[in-house]
Amino acid sequence: EAGVAQSPRYKIIEKRQSVAFWCNPISGHATLYWYQQILGQGPKLLIQFQNNGVVDDSQLPKDRFSAERLKGVDSTLKIQPAKLEDSAVYLCASSPWRGGITQYFGPGTRLTVL
Amino acid sequence: SQELEQSPQSLIVQEGKNLTINCTSSKTLYGLYWYKQKYGEGLIFLMMLQKGGEEKSHEKITAKLDEKKQQSSLHITASQPSHAGIYLCGADEEGFQKLVFGTGTRLLVSP
């Protein structure tokens, strides 16, 4: 079974630029999560999707971050414009609807904002 | 909101030694997850505990849940260099199917 795929693995941009990250969850997993992990901290949930609907986006900075999961499968997280404090690893995770809430994580995208 | 405190923050042990990592929650635990993360990589699921007193093992790693103390411990027996990494505990916040994570414990195993 293929795991959670993310791309790109690394991205370096200058502040005020835009960036997008892509995630493809494990096949059949209805729930998809995006986390932000700043160096030295644990992951922080940004947004949770159930199929193509948003379940929780209370910690998503909506003035600059957006995410979508149009067909209920893969998802895109966008930052526009980026700030220095957005430098972090962005992790995508998925879990099955009926399989408990154990989340399976992708390798992450390391973003550096200069 | 729920907060998880992990101790110690970092740990260096000699290969072959045992070690314990603790995770304490500020609120009632509905489910406690342990993950391992290697630098620059995603999180690898280790095990999940749901009931007070529950204990699970995977290879040389054992985790226990003390519901009354709102605490979980992760114990590694006879540590190996492959055990090195960051260990993160995560809790299901109030049963809402979203995880809150601790800040992690960085483990180094010296040969």
Side-chain angles (χ1 to χ4, degrees):
Chain A
E1 179 180 74
V4 177
Q6 289 188 247
S7 67
R9 289 294 313 275
Y10 306 92
K11 190 74 177 179
I12 300 174
I13 62 172
E14 295 187 348
K15 60 183 179 183
R16 291 187 288 272
Q17 285 187 322
S18 301
V19 64
F21 312 127
W22 175 82
C23 171
N24 192 30
I26 293 172
S27 178
H29 281 196
T31 309
L32 186 148
Y33 309 81
W34 282 103
Y35 288 86
Q36 179 192 59
Q37 185 177 24
I38 293 173
L39 187 64
Q41 299 181 17
K44 182 185 82 172
L45 180 69
L46 292 176
I47 189 167
Q48 176 184 351
F49 290 96
Q50 184 68 35
N51 295 310
N52 60 350
V54 175
V55 175
D56 185 345
D57 63 356
S58 57
Q59 297 193 90
L60 187 73
K62 298 181 186 63
D63 57 334
R64 298 184 299 106
F65 285 65
S66 64
E68 59 183 15
R69 194 185 183 199
L70 293 176
K71 297 181 180 178
V73 180
D74 57 347
S75 175
T76 303
L77 176 70
K78 295 180 182 177
I79 306 175
Q80 182 180 8
K83 292 185 176 181
L84 296 176
E85 58 261 36
D86 297 332
S87 294
V89 176
Y90 291 85
L91 295 162
C92 178
S94 70
S95 67
W97 173 240
R98 294 185 185 278
I101 68 163
T102 299
Q103 297 179 22
Y104 299 90
F105 284 78
T109 296
R110 181 174 297 276
L111 173 67
T112 302
V113 182
L114 304 175
Chain B
S1 62
Q2 189 167 21
E3 293 183 358
L4 297 175
E5 183 176 337
Q6 288 187 236
S7 62
Q9 290 186 347
S10 62
L11 191 57
I12 302 174
V13 299
Q14 195 172 17
E15 184 176 356
K17 298 293 186 183
N18 303 336
L19 64 108
T20 300
I21 298 168
N22 292 306
C23 174
T24 303
S25 173
S26 61
K27 293 186 177 183
T28 301
L29 285 166
Y30 290 88
L32 193 288
Y33 296 74
W34 284 100
Y35 285 86
K36 178 184 174 184
Q37 183 177 34
K38 291 202 169 183
Y39 181 75
E41 298 182 13
L43 280 64
I44 299 169
F45 171 72
L46 294 176
M47 56 194 87
M48 170 194 169
L49 305 165
Q50 278 191 306
K51 301 176 185 177
E54 187 173 13
E55 180 175 322
K56 286 187 178 178
S57 293
H58 174 68
E59 297 179 345
K60 294 186 177 181
I61 302 175
T62 300
K64 300 179 185 179
L65 180 63
D66 187 330
E67 206 171 47
K68 291 182 180 177
K69 292 183 180 179
Q70 297 177 175
Q71 186 178 71
S72 177
S73 60
L74 185 82
H75 184 78
I76 299 177
T77 304
S79 59
Q80 300 169 0
S82 61
H83 287 129
I86 300 171
Y87 290 82
L88 291 152
C89 63
D92 177 9
E93 188 168 35
E94 299 180 0
F96 290 155
Q97 295 191 5
K98 73 176 187 181
L99 292 183
V100 173
F101 284 93
T103 54
T105 295
R106 184 179 298 271
L107 172 65
L108 294 175
V109 180
S110 62

